[in-house]
């Protein structure tokens, strides 16, 4: 029915079963990953399962691939990429190769940036093998509870996913994978979402994530695509501002 379709779209459900908790008084999503919640907290001790700040969820020791540990406080004041990935997943491995270069470029440009690897590997050994290729930090593989809490916090439904946070720990974009692949030189870092995008192979994935307006123009005529952008840019900005005021995702 139409109502069912509206609910699927509103909550961006891409696979089932999906369990989403909502605050009835405001209609806001409290938790997108309810199935993980009830697995991790069967007694309901953490009810009402609202989102906690990143700094609280990540708190504890982090690893470098040389065996050194550091406290999660060391991330404060940096932009952070929270990277959900695993060695068994080929798209993850190819993204990691690009991301290593992007990380190096951003650091060399003097910006404060750190990546936190949250592994979905199937064994400690494959985690260690994969992490040995990464110049950033990771949640220890053995700390399954913290890895699971980070998955819950961002409602991760598939890998690879790269969530980019600002220095306060607020989400800039959930589309870090698309941004990294679209911006090899990292000129647009930290990748604040643009109201209007030019459709490419790598950002087409966003068409599956919610309602989109796609405008076709004659690509031979350069002036036409610029004129079209001028036409829809203010409309897109207005829609984004409206959702931002409601503290919802557009």
């Amino acid at each position: 029915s139409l109502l069912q379709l509206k609910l699927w779209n509103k909550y961006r459900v891409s696979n089932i079963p999906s369990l989403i908790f909502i605050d009835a008084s405001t209609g806001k999503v409290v938790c997108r990953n309810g199935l993980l919640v009830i697995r991790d907290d069967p007694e309901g001790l953490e009810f009402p399962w609202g989102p906690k700040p990143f700094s609280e969820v990540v708190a504890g020791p982090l690893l470098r691939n040389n065996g050194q540990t550091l406290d999660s406080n060391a991330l404060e004041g940096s932009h952070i990429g929270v990277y959900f990935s695993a060695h068994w997943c080929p798209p993850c491995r190819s993204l990691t190769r690009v991301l290593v270069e992007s990380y190096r470029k951003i650091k060399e440009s003097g910006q404060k940036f750190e990546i936190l690897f949250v592994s979905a590997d199937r064994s400690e050994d494959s985690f260690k093998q994969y992490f040995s290729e990464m110049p950033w930090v990771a949640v220890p593989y053995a700390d399954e509870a913290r890895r699971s809490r980070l998955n819950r916090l961002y409602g991760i439904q598939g890998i690879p996913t790269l969530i980019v946070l600002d220095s306060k720990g607020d989400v800039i974009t959930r589309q870090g994978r698309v941004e990294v692949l679209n911006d090899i030189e990292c000129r647009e870092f930290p990748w604040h979402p643009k109201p209007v995008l030019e459709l490419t192979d790598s950002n087409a994935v966003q068409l599956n994530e919610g309602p989109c307006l796609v405008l076709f123009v004659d690509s031979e005529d350069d002036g036409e695509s610029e004129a079209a952008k001028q036409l829809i840019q203010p409309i897109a900005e207005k829609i984004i501002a409206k959702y931002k005021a409601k503290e919802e995702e557009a």
Side-chain angles (χ1 to χ4, degrees), residues 36-47:
L36 273 182
V37 167
I38 55 177
R39 191 198 73 189
D40 291 353
D41 183 23
E43 306 289 311
L45 302 175
E46 292 179 37
F47 183 82

Side-chain angles (χ1 to χ4, degrees), residues 30-246:
V30 174
C31 171
R32 200 169 278 291
N33 235 348
L35 295 172
L36 273 182
V37 167
I38 55 177
R39 191 198 73 189
D40 291 353
D41 183 23
E43 306 289 311
L45 302 175
E46 292 179 37
F47 183 82
W49 303 305
K52 296 184 168 71
F54 169 74
S55 57
E56 188 181 319
V57 176
V58 79
L62 302 174
L63 294 178
R64 289 207 177 275
N65 65 15
N66 60 6
Q68 277 184 324
T69 60
L70 69 159
D71 191 82
S72 56
N73 294 342
L75 300 176
E76 281 174 19
S78 293
H79 281 82
I80 296 159
V82 190
Y83 184 36
F84 298 86
S85 188
H87 191 260
W88 52 262
C89 148
C92 292
R93 291 199 301 275
S94 54
L95 179 60
T96 297
R97 285 192 289 275
V98 177
L99 196 52
V100 167
E101 286 305 303
S102 303
Y103 177 76
R104 190 176 54 74
K105 284 175 187 155
I106 293 164
K107 300 280 269 192
E108 281 174 1
S109 73
Q111 303 189 75
K112 293 187 80 177
F113 181 51
E114 195 48 76
I115 293 177
L116 175 67
F117 172 40
V118 183
S119 166
D121 288 293
R122 291 175 177 149
S123 72
E124 177 104 34
D125 282 347
S126 66
F127 161 75
K128 280 181 177 156
Q129 182 193 343
Y130 194 28
F131 187 40
S132 70
E133 303 163 19
M134 300 179 184
W136 45 74
V137 298
V139 176
Y141 185 78
D143 194 344
E144 202 175 326
R146 194 161 28 141
R147 289 191 289 125
S148 188
R149 281 198 299 271
L150 284 159
N151 271 278
R152 268 165 46 193
L153 179 63
Y154 297 116
I156 301 303
Q157 294 194 334
I159 54 172
T161 294
L162 178 68
I163 311 260
V164 182
L165 310 179
D166 66 17
S167 54
K168 295 194 203 86
D170 296 326
V171 174
I172 292 176
T173 179
R174 301 176 59 88
Q175 299 292 342
R177 175 192 186 182
V178 171
E179 298 292 355
V180 163
L181 296 175
N182 265 350
D183 180 23
I184 295 296
E185 293 303 315
C186 306
R187 291 199 180 98
E188 307 277 331
F189 177 82
W191 302 304
H192 288 280
K194 292 192 184 73
V196 179
L197 292 172
E198 197 162 315
L199 191 60
T200 65
D201 283 353
S202 56
N203 68 26
V205 61
Q206 291 175 246
L207 294 172
N208 298 324
E209 300 206 344
C212 295
L213 172 73
V214 184
L215 181 61
F216 293 88
V217 294
D218 183 354
S219 60
E220 298 302 306
D221 177 0
D222 277 349
E224 191 171 332
S225 60
E226 196 43 52
K229 194 175 172 185
Q230 302 282 328
L231 175 72
I232 56 177
Q233 181 92 11
I235 300 168
E237 283 172 359
K238 202 162 141 188
I239 292 168
I240 286 170
K242 183 182 99 176
Y243 279 94
K244 201 169 184 174
K246 290 201 262 179

